[in-house]
Amino acid sequence: VQLQASGGGLVQAGGSLRLSCVASGPFVGSYAAGWFRQTPGKERQFVAGINWRGSSTRYADSVKGRFTISRDNANHTVLLNMSSLKPEDTAVYSCAADFSDYRWSAGLASLYDFWGQGTLVTVSS
């Protein structure tokens, strides 16, 4: 499985961006997905997660009410809609897949099975 993240860029504070994560390759079944972000010198931080059916989501407190995770399983895509962006949201955002469909809710990067490359989000003040 390969995950391809895209949609990052430069945006002013208060603006919006939408990140996409497209999965490709042979599939072994359903998977939950998550978005994480990382800044230099810091550990990867959980941002949002969603189960396979899309019926359950979880968000980091810092993004609740501003970010929305969703998925389109027909197109193997997971989206992260980000609004009211703040300079502190600046980071490299990565998507990940959890094929157990239950570990994802713990919000721990170590419990995800596959990772895509990151996409840089820069929010200017």
Side-chain angles (χ1 to χ4, degrees):
V1 174
Q2 292 184 327
L3 302 175
Q4 180 74 38
S6 63
L10 174 63
V11 63
Q12 289 187 331
S16 301
L17 277 177
R18 185 176 74 172
L19 304 184
S20 297
C21 178
V22 180
S24 62
F27 291 96
V28 295
S30 58
Y31 63 95
W35 285 96
F36 290 75
R37 65 188 182 187
Q38 189 170 25
T39 54
K42 293 188 177 181
E43 291 191 357
R44 197 171 279 174
Q45 177 190 31
F46 174 77
V47 175
I50 187 168
N51 67 346
W52 167 247
R53 291 170 55 202
S55 59
S56 181
T57 58
R58 185 186 171 204
Y59 298 91
D61 288 343
S62 59
V63 306
K64 280 181 181 177
R66 300 188 298 121
F67 291 12
T68 302
I69 189 171
S70 61
R71 66 188 306 155
D72 175 4
N73 289 340
N75 291 298
H76 306 299
T77 300
V78 177
L79 301 173
L80 184 68
N81 283 289
M82 307 184 295
S83 62
S84 301
L85 283 162
K86 305 174 182 180
E88 52 263 44
D89 293 319
T90 295
V92 174
Y93 285 70
S94 300
C95 58
D98 160 32
F99 283 88
S100 76
D101 203 26
Y102 67 86
R103 294 191 302 261
W104 67 276
S105 60
L108 298 175
S110 60
L111 298 182
Y112 283 75
D113 301 303
F114 289 92
W115 289 83
Q117 91 299 345
T119 184
L120 177 62
V121 172
T122 303
V123 184
S124 63
S125 57

